[in-house]
């Protein structure tokens, strides 16, 4: 069984101060609900089920420390707009539902952040989708037409306006959508864990090794303890297959990010003074760039088929070089800025772009394959799994079921190991102007 590993390279996590400790589970325990995986899905599910059922006991466990998984190592965009295939869909109602669900997730996160004063660089900065050259502009025109069709508000910016914000002439045009948020993901995940309701117990560094149905409930084995529970919620994303569910349906794809050292006052001079912005590329295969509130730039690009889910360390120097190239192409005048961290993380895609949400078997609930936009989608999925497990019937839950589906069965792994890298290489070639 493959378990998550932490590689000590994720800048977001490594920069945290005073990380709290939730001890590993060492004694057998009987709880009403076990939530496995403390990412966006698991944290939202644990909180919501505890709110729904204050008299029930909830155990949230993770193989790693909270914040070390993909939810703590992403680029920190909490996106309200539909993504990729969903955005292209002709089903207007479906898109409306996705936007509404994502916005409920953003509100839910924001409410916790404000209520508990979680210090995670949260900002309603929205998102820039930026183009490089003629091909990028064309893709941006298409994106603009979709936003118009969806009656979403946006603002298109010229090269001159962009230079003012991003400190570079690299981008030819961009569209700003105001609905999303930016954050420091590891701080957010730690903050969410530290402020769970009283009926939620957390155990970190506690990996589930097996799940067995026992009578009306389940027996779960970890390295040092046995957990009995009535209901099980899996927020384990790509690792769900290792626990015996959704095998051959989750495509684990890794992407990578690098973070610079903090910029000095002199290095910051080329920027217009806005300290939290984020750019996603007009072509999805391109490079994401972010400025953080603590003066660092983040570069994210490159994809890899991650058959073993974790980051092979020998890849990191090559990836850091690619990130450096993307950085220097945008900021030749900042060539003295060094990278402090480079890391990878794995998210779940599916062959037919469907995201799974639902009851896998009686009293086992899960959400996975969020197509790599899990900050909002994972949060709303976790909330709705909790409502489903609590027997609630709401319009939001109905919408969640409508926007989700069943990921298609994938070809056997040996074929994926040949075919997926080829597809990724072709996508990289096609979008090279945006990398
Ligand atoms: C570099 C990068 C940039 C990204 N940028 C963005 C972005 O800007 N915006 C966005 O929305 N998304 C982004 N994503 C994707 C996003 O991070 C994921 O979609 C999201 O984190 C998925 O959340 P999750 O809760 O489903 O799963 P995860 O965060 O993967 O959580 C699963 C948890 O389960 C635990 N687990 C697994 N197996 C076991 C076991 N056997 N026992 C116990 N625990 C277990 C893991 O340790 C992990 O903590 C990015 C991803 C990467 C890697």
């Amino acid at each position: 069984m493959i378990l998550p590993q932490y590689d000590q390279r994720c800048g977001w996590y490594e920069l945290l101060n005073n990380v709290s400790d939730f001890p590993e589970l060492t004694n057998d325990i009987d709880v009403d609900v076990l939530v496995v995986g403390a990412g966006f899905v698991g944290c939202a599910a644990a909180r919501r089920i505890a709110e729904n059922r204050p008299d029930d006991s909830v155990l949230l466990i993770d193989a790693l420390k909270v914040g070390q998984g993909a939810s703590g190592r992403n680029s920190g965009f909490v996106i309200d707009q539909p993504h990729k295939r969903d955005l292209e869909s002709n089903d207007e109602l479906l898109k409306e539902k996705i936007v509404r669900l994502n916005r409920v997730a953003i509100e839910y996160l924001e409410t916790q952040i404000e209520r508990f004063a979680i210090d995670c660089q949260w900002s309603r900065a929205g998102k820039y989708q930026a183009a490089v050259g003629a091909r990028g502009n064309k893709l941006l025109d298409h994106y603009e037409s979709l936003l118009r069709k969806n009656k979403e508000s946006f603002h298109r910016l010229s090269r001159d306006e962009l230079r003012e914000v991003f400190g570079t002439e690299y981008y030819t045009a961009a569209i700003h959508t105001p609905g999303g948020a930016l954050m420091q993901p590891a701080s957010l995940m730690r903050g969410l864990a530290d402020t769970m309701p009283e009926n939620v117990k957390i155990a970190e560094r506690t990996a589930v090794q097996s799940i067995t149905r026992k009578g009306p409930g389940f027996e779960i084995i970890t390295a040092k303890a046995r957990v009995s529970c009535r209901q099980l919620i899996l927020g384990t994303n790509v690792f769900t297959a290792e626990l015996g569910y959704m095998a051959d349906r989750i495509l684990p794809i890794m992407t990578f990010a690098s973070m610079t050292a903090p910029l000095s006052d002199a290095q910051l001079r080329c920027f217009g003074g806005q300290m939290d912005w984020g750019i996603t590329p007009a072509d999805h295969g391109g490079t994401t760039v972010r400025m953080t509130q603590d003066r660092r730039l983040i570069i994210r690009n490159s994809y890899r088929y991650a058959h073993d889910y974790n980051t092979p360390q020998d890849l990191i120097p090559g990836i850091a070089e690619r990130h450096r190239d993307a950085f220097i192409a945008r900021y030749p005048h900042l060539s003295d800025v060094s990278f402090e961290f480079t890391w990878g993380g794995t998210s779940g895609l599916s062959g037919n772009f469907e995201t799974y949400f639902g009851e896998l078997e009686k009293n086992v609930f899960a959400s996975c394959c969020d197509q790599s936009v899990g900050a909002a989608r994972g949060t709303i999925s976790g909330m709705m799994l909790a409502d489903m497990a609590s027997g609630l019937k709401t319009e939001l839950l109905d919408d969640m079921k409508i926007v989700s589906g069943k990921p298609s069965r994938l070809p056997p792994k040996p074929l994926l190991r040949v075919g997926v890298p080829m597809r990724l290489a072709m996508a990289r070639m096609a979008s090279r102007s945006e990398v």
Side-chain angles (χ1 to χ4, degrees), residues 255-269:
T255 186
F256 302 84
S258 288
M259 180 188 272
T260 67
L263 304 192
S264 65
D265 287 346
Q267 289 162 340
L268 272 179
R269 230 166 266 146

Side-chain angles (χ1 to χ4, degrees), residues 4 37 40-41 62-63 70-71 74-77 208 235 237 239 345 370 372-375:
F40 292 113
V41 172
D62 201 291
S71 293
N74 53 69
S75 304
F77 291 81
V208 166
N237 205 10
F239 294 94
D370 57 36
S372 209
V373 279

Side-chain angles (χ1 to χ4, degrees), residues 29-76:
I29 183 170
D30 194 347
V31 290
D32 294 302
V33 186
L34 172 66
V35 180
V36 187
F40 292 113
V41 172
C43 283
R47 182 182 297 277
R48 181 87 158 191
I49 207 140
E51 288 168 348
N52 287 347
R53 291 150 52 179
D55 296 330
D56 277 4
S57 53
V58 181
L59 174 64
L60 172 63
I61 64 178
D62 201 291
L64 303 172
K65 295 273 296 170
V66 178
Q68 290 182 336
S71 293
R73 49 177 56 218
N74 53 69
S75 304

Side-chain angles (χ1 to χ4, degrees), residues 158-394:
S158 68
R159 186 177 221 150
D160 287 344
E161 289 171 292
L162 295 176
R163 188 195 313 115
E164 188 54 31
V165 184
F166 303 149
T168 171
E169 306 236 337
Y170 194 72
Y171 295 102
T172 42
I175 287 176
H176 180 257
T177 46
L182 295 173
M183 45 81 182
Q184 203 286 32
S187 299
L188 173 59
M189 299 322 295
R190 292 302 315 175
L192 291 174
D194 288 340
T195 58
M196 282 287 163
E198 272 185 6
N199 51 334
V200 179
K201 177 184 163 76
I202 302 181
E204 298 179 307
R205 293 182 303 253
T206 304
V208 166
Q209 297 177 346
S210 70
I211 299 171
T212 314
R213 194 169 264 286
K214 272 264 167 86
F218 302 89
E219 183 182 81
I220 282 83
I221 303 293
T222 70
K224 298 187 184 157
R226 192 180 296 261
V227 183
S228 306
C229 63
R230 285 195 292 118
Q231 290 185 311
L232 192 55
I233 298 183
L234 302 180
T236 41
N237 205 10
V238 287
F239 294 94
T240 308
E242 295 295 306
L243 297 174
Y245 298 98
M246 304 295 290
D248 308 328
R249 292 182 190 273
I250 307 171
L251 187 62
I253 297 291
M254 177 167 285
T255 186
F256 302 84
S258 288
M259 180 188 272
T260 67
L263 304 192
S264 65
D265 287 346
Q267 289 162 340
L268 272 179
R269 230 166 266 146
C270 63
F271 299 92
Q274 189 186 321
M275 282 312 293
D276 47 359
W277 46 260
I279 303 170
T280 57
D283 187 327
H284 294 296
T287 295
T288 297
V289 184
R290 253 201 76 183
M291 170 70 89
T292 67
Q293 288 176 13
D294 53 358
R295 304 167 156 232
R296 294 169 188 268
L297 285 160
I298 312 239
I299 299 284
R300 187 217 52 83
N301 66 33
S302 306
Y303 292 97
R304 173 181 177 270
Y305 170 53
H307 61 93
D308 53 0
Y309 315 124
N310 294 303
T311 318
Q313 294 312 303
D314 54 343
L315 280 186
I316 291 295
I319 296 286
E321 258 176 55
R322 274 194 199 174
H323 288 169
R324 188 89 204 145
D325 290 347
F327 179 73
I328 294 299
R330 288 158 178 79
Y331 296 104
H333 46 292
L334 292 180
S335 60
D336 54 337
V337 174
S338 57
F339 283 167
E340 276 191 357
F341 303 97
T342 298
W343 66 92
T346 308
S347 348
L349 272 60
S350 60
N352 56 356
F353 303 100
E354 293 287 358
T355 296
Y356 180 77
F357 167 90
E359 192 167 8
L360 288 163
E361 60 170 293
K362 192 158 172 51
N363 283 325
V364 182
F365 305 87
S367 168
C368 55
C369 290
D370 57 36
Q371 318 302 327
S372 209
V373 279
R377 183 66 178 244
T379 298
I380 189 70
S381 300
M383 292 163 66
M384 293 299 105
L385 287 176
D387 285 4
M388 192 184 224
S390 306
L392 300 181
K393 294 195 187 332
T394 66

